[in-house]
Amino acid sequence: MRTLVLNAGYEPLAVVTFRRALLLVMAEKATIVLQDDSSPVRSAHGELPRPTVIVLKRYVRRPYRDMNHVTRRGVLRRDGFTCAYCGKSANTIDHVIPRSRGGQNTWENLVAACLACNSRKADKMLAQLGWQLRVTPHRPRYGGHLVSGLNHIDDSWDAYLQAG
């Protein structure tokens, strides 16, 4: 089970294990905002609530918060490891506008692609092939990169992830 960590300003900061979250709460560095009452953590000293969302007591500065660097892993996670051309499982990334034609390494120009589609597209434009993108590539919103790629996202996190 994972726990969403919010900065003191309630913007999403990280996703950690519930054990790490409990340590932060027990060290009085964070407080529990939401907890899972149906499955408390039992120890030799008693029961503790299982945190779902915690907020730090002190604000943690993120020096380059707006600099969301483009990475291969980030593009694959953003697109859910799904090919933007055919919808199959993706394991490579592709430039929508090829680099040979002036395309840049930006969030808006990179998509996840399967090896077959990436090879077929090569350095051609989508219009030349008659292809269309299944998704519109975009810069991930702040906080979205924290949960993309996780198998299970708690529904109670939605309000906090959109706050960031």
Side-chain angles (χ1 to χ4, degrees):
M1 176 171 255
R2 300 285 190 165
T3 301
L4 178 65
V5 179
L6 303 175
N7 212 341
Y10 280 79
E11 67 266 6
L13 190 62
V15 176
V16 298
T17 64
F18 80 90
R19 290 178 185 174
R20 175 72 177 131
L22 269 179
L23 287 174
L24 288 169
V25 171
M26 291 170 60
E28 297 182 359
K29 293 182 179 184
T31 56
I32 297 175
V33 177
L34 282 175
Q35 61 192 29
D36 182 7
D37 294 323
S38 64
S39 59
V41 179
R42 291 179 177 83
S43 72
H45 303 288
E47 284 188 356
L48 297 169
R50 186 179 301 260
T52 306
V53 179
I54 63 171
V55 62
L56 297 178
K57 290 186 177 181
R58 295 178 56 122
Y59 187 81
V60 176
R61 281 193 55 199
R62 296 181 56 128
Y64 301 106
R65 184 173 109 179
D66 294 330
M67 293 182 67
N68 206 356
H69 297 291
V70 181
T71 62
R72 178 180 181 277
R73 174 184 254 170
V75 172
L76 288 169
R77 281 186 171 179
R78 179 201 64 192
D79 294 348
F81 292 88
T82 304
C83 181
Y85 303 119
C86 69
K88 293 180 182 174
S89 179
N91 51 8
T92 64
I93 60 172
D94 184 54
H95 292 81
V96 177
I97 300 172
R99 288 177 47 191
S100 63
R101 298 184 184 214
Q104 301 293 315
N105 288 329
T106 62
W107 286 106
E108 295 79 13
N109 191 45
L110 290 169
V111 293
C114 66
L115 189 58
C117 288
N118 199 349
S119 297
R120 257 185 273 145
K121 183 176 174 290
D123 67 341
K124 297 178 184 76
M125 299 293 284
L126 294 177
Q128 287 177 290
L129 297 168
W131 289 6
Q132 287 186 341
L133 288 173
R134 292 174 171 257
V135 294
T136 303
H138 63 282
R139 175 181 294 274
R141 64 183 166 91
Y142 181 68
H145 67 282
L146 297 174
V147 296
S148 60
L150 289 178
N151 293 336
H152 174 72
I153 299 171
D154 198 325
D155 294 334
S156 62
W157 293 2
D158 289 342
Y160 300 102
L161 290 173
Q162 294 180 8

